[in-house]
């Protein structure tokens, strides 16, 4: 039996502690721990990316969260120049509330403006939103850490290092197994987990530009077009791929925000994959707004119904009367029950979703 500490210590605080423990080996003076010291240096190099130093002096690792920063490191170079490293550590969550910029402002003030570097570490699924962090941080994922530790781990290694290595090795193996499930047509099993939902969409929509954004103003949350993003609903994971969005030509004056709508694929569970239309203001108490939503939805629904009628053995129309969906903010256009594609190979499933996506885009032209 393998009794692995990290099987039970799965929270971000446990990963914070592991990163502190790893980097602090730089300060060890015992020649018997040479391998661990080199490992600590390599870990800091990984987190700094192109900003790594030839030599680290006076490395100080915070023992607990400092100013709510997950992991905070202070160090100097050979000539005494002062640096700081902010490590934003995630397992399955995302950066929020402009955390990194707030932390940098605090560090500049408290430590007389050192050169600040930032690492964004995430061992869960790295979504498109995470990669946007690259503009302000070095992004380090599970495979990056796994590849590093592989170089230093052996049967005589620290039990902590072995435990963490085996833990993330297992997580990586789970992802490979999910890919195999998808490639072998076992979609229901794969879509039970957030990793599976992301991998499924990522394999289908694999040429994303991740460049277009709508609604990015002071009164709106931004919507990123041609991206996969995710969340949870009542504890269950969901993932979606938004492939089209646009601000309405007419901005109704009594709504103090950009008014837009968009189309996306949504996976809520291992039971169905649905195509949906979204309009944030659809339930606003204004006749023009409701009429606009109904007209937009019906235009897309007409096309979706036509697509279903030509492939009704696999595709399904939304349940109930069309009027049920017309004024919802989030309205279903068609659905693919997962059981209906269980005998299809993945390339055929991929082509099906790509063809439907392209057909919906043609409605917009």
């Amino acid at each position: 039996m393998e009794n692995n500490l990290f099987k039970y210590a799965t929270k971000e605080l446990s990963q914070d502690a592991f990163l502190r423990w790893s980097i602090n080996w730089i300060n060890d003076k015992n020649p018997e721990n040479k391998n661990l010291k080199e490992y600590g240096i390599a870990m800091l190099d990984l987190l700094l990316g192109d900003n790594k130093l030839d030599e680290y002096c006076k490395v100080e690792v915070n023992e607990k969260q400092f100013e709510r920063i997950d992991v905070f490191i202070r160090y100097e170079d050979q000539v005494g120049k002062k640096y700081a490293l902010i490590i934003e550590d995630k397992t399955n969550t995302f950066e929020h509330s402009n955390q990194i910029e707030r932390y940098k402002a605090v560090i500049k003030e408290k430590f007389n403006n050192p050169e600040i570097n930032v690492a964004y570490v995430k061992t869960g699924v790295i979504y498109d939103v995470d990669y946007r962090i690259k503009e302000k941080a070095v992004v380090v994922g599970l495979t990056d850490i796994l590849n590093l530790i592989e170089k230093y781990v052996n049967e005589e290694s620290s039990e902590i290092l072995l435990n963490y290595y085996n833990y993330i090795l297992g997580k990586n193996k789970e992802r490979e197994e999910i890919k195999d499930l998808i490639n072998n047509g076992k979609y229901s099993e794969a879509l039970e987990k957030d990793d599976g939902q992301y991998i499924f969409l990522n394999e289908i929509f694999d040429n994303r530009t991740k460049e277009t954004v709508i609604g990015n103003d002071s009164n709106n949350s931004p919507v990123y077009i041609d991206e996969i993003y995710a969340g949870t609903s009542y504890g269950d994971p969901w993932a979606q791929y938004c492939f089209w969005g646009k601000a309405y030509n007419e901005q109704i004056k009594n709504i103090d925000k950009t008014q837009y709508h968009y189309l996306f694929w949504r996976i809520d569970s291992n039971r169905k994959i649905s195509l949906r239309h979204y309009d944030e203001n659809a339930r606003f108490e204004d006749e023009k707004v409701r009429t606009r939503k109904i007209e937009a939805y019906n235009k897309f629904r007409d096309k979706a119904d036509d697509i279903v009628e030509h492939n009704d053995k696999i595709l399904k129309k939304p349940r109930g009367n069309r009027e049920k969906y017309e004024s919802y903010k989030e309205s279903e256009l068609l659905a693919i029950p997962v059981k209906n594609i269980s005998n299809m190979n993945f390339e055929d499933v991929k082509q099906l979703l790509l063809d439907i996506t392209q057909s919906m885009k043609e409605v917009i032209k």
Side-chain angles (χ1 to χ4, degrees):
M1 180 187 77
E2 182 189 8
N3 196 16
N4 192 317
L5 170 66
F6 293 99
K7 178 181 177 181
Y8 305 100
T10 58
K11 301 297 184 182
E12 288 170 0
L13 284 173
S14 302
Q15 190 160 276
D16 292 351
F18 175 77
L19 291 171
R20 293 190 191 101
W21 176 88
S22 297
I23 295 167
N24 198 48
W25 281 110
I26 295 174
N27 293 316
D28 193 87
K29 307 298 183 184
N30 188 341
E32 293 182 3
N33 294 327
K34 180 183 177 183
N35 186 62
L36 282 169
K37 184 181 181 75
E38 290 176 352
Y39 158 69
I41 293 170
M43 178 63 80
L44 187 52
D45 283 348
L46 174 67
L47 297 171
L48 288 170
D50 293 339
N51 299 311
K52 65 183 180 181
L53 302 180
D54 294 331
E55 183 177 345
Y56 301 102
C57 303
K58 296 184 180 180
V59 178
E60 296 181 21
V61 181
N62 66 310
E63 295 180 0
K64 58 183 180 179
Q65 287 196 344
F66 172 77
E67 295 288 341
R68 305 189 73 177
I69 299 170
D70 292 334
V71 181
F72 177 55
I73 313 292
R74 297 171 67 198
Y75 57 101
E76 297 180 10
D77 61 18
Q78 294 165 291
V79 297
K81 182 178 178 180
K82 299 183 185 303
Y83 298 83
L85 172 62
I86 296 168
I87 302 175
E88 185 63 18
D89 181 29
K90 305 292 184 185
T91 51
N92 294 303
T93 57
F94 305 93
E95 188 208 13
H96 58 84
S97 307
N98 204 25
Q99 289 172 297
I100 291 174
E101 293 307 315
R102 288 191 291 108
Y103 297 155
K104 287 172 74 173
V106 169
I107 298 306
K108 283 183 179 180
E109 181 179 349
K110 285 187 174 290
F111 295 103
N112 195 24
N113 201 27
E115 182 172 316
I116 301 174
N117 297 301
V118 182
Y120 183 82
V121 178
K122 189 171 184 183
T123 50
V125 177
I126 295 185
Y127 293 94
D128 296 338
V129 65
D130 293 309
Y131 280 112
R132 284 201 298 278
I133 300 293
K134 282 186 174 181
E135 298 173 3
K136 51 187 176 183
V138 175
V139 177
V140 176
L142 183 144
T143 54
D144 299 313
I145 297 174
L146 185 61
N147 291 337
L148 170 67
I149 296 178
E150 277 180 341
K151 299 174 183 177
Y152 295 93
V153 74
N154 55 58
E155 292 181 358
E156 298 178 356
S157 292
S158 156
E159 188 172 0
I160 294 174
L161 188 61
L162 277 169
N163 269 209
Y164 190 76
Y165 172 72
N166 287 324
Y167 171 67
I168 62 173
L169 187 66
K171 287 179 67 71
N172 191 61
K173 183 180 178 182
E174 286 176 9
R175 292 181 188 174
E176 294 303 316
E177 289 172 347
I178 287 171
K179 289 181 182 179
D180 288 341
L181 287 173
I182 291 171
N183 289 329
N184 292 321
K186 297 180 179 179
Y187 309 115
S188 181
E189 292 177 59
L191 298 180
E192 287 179 338
K193 298 181 179 180
D194 53 357
D195 292 47
Q197 293 176 357
Y198 172 78
I199 291 169
F200 181 84
L201 291 174
N202 185 56
E203 292 291 312
I204 291 173
F205 303 104
D206 53 356
N207 291 313
R208 303 187 299 283
T209 60
K210 311 172 192 175
E211 293 177 351
T212 306
V213 59
I214 55 173
N216 191 18
D217 56 45
S218 59
N219 296 309
N220 277 301
S221 297
V223 176
Y224 293 91
I225 311 302
D226 209 19
E227 287 200 6
I228 296 170
Y229 48 105
T232 58
S233 178
Y234 301 103
D236 295 322
W238 57 260
Q240 61 189 47
Y241 166 65
C242 184
F243 62 86
W244 176 86
K246 183 182 178 183
Y248 284 107
N249 292 330
E250 180 187 4
Q251 296 289 298
I252 295 170
K253 293 181 179 179
N254 62 342
I255 304 176
D256 188 24
K257 59 173 64 177
T258 302
Q259 299 146 49
Y260 56 84
H261 58 143
Y262 58 91
L263 298 173
F264 63 99
W265 288 102
R266 170 91 168 207
I267 303 175
D268 273 297
S269 68
N270 63 342
R271 292 186 296 276
K272 76 172 182 178
I273 303 158
S274 56
L275 177 65
R276 303 184 186 184
H277 175 250
Y278 189 93
D279 180 339
E280 174 66 31
N281 304 116
R283 304 192 73 170
F284 197 84
E285 295 300 321
D286 186 286
E287 190 61 33
K288 282 186 176 181
V289 173
R290 289 195 294 271
T291 299
R292 183 174 64 185
K293 161 66 181 182
I294 290 168
E295 289 176 352
Y297 173 74
N298 280 313
K299 179 174 64 174
F300 294 123
R301 179 65 186 271
D302 288 343
K303 183 62 176 180
D305 284 354
D306 182 60
I307 292 170
V308 172
E309 287 170 7
H310 285 82
N311 198 351
D312 59 1
K313 290 183 179 180
I314 296 176
L315 310 176
K316 298 295 179 185
K317 294 180 183 180
R319 293 181 178 179
N321 296 326
R322 183 182 288 207
E323 289 78 11
K324 172 183 176 182
Y325 299 91
E326 287 180 336
S327 60
Y328 288 178
K329 289 198 294 185
E330 188 169 316
S331 308
E332 191 170 287
L333 295 165
L334 62 79
I336 305 174
V338 173
K339 64 180 181 180
N340 289 2
I341 58 174
S342 59
N343 294 321
M344 293 176 62
N345 67 55
F346 180 69
E347 287 304 315
D348 290 340
V349 173
K350 177 176 182 176
Q351 195 59 54
L352 173 66
L353 268 74
L354 290 174
D355 287 345
I356 295 172
T357 300
Q358 184 58 39
S359 294
M360 298 308 297
K361 286 181 177 180
E362 289 173 0
V363 176
I364 302 153
K365 291 179 180 178

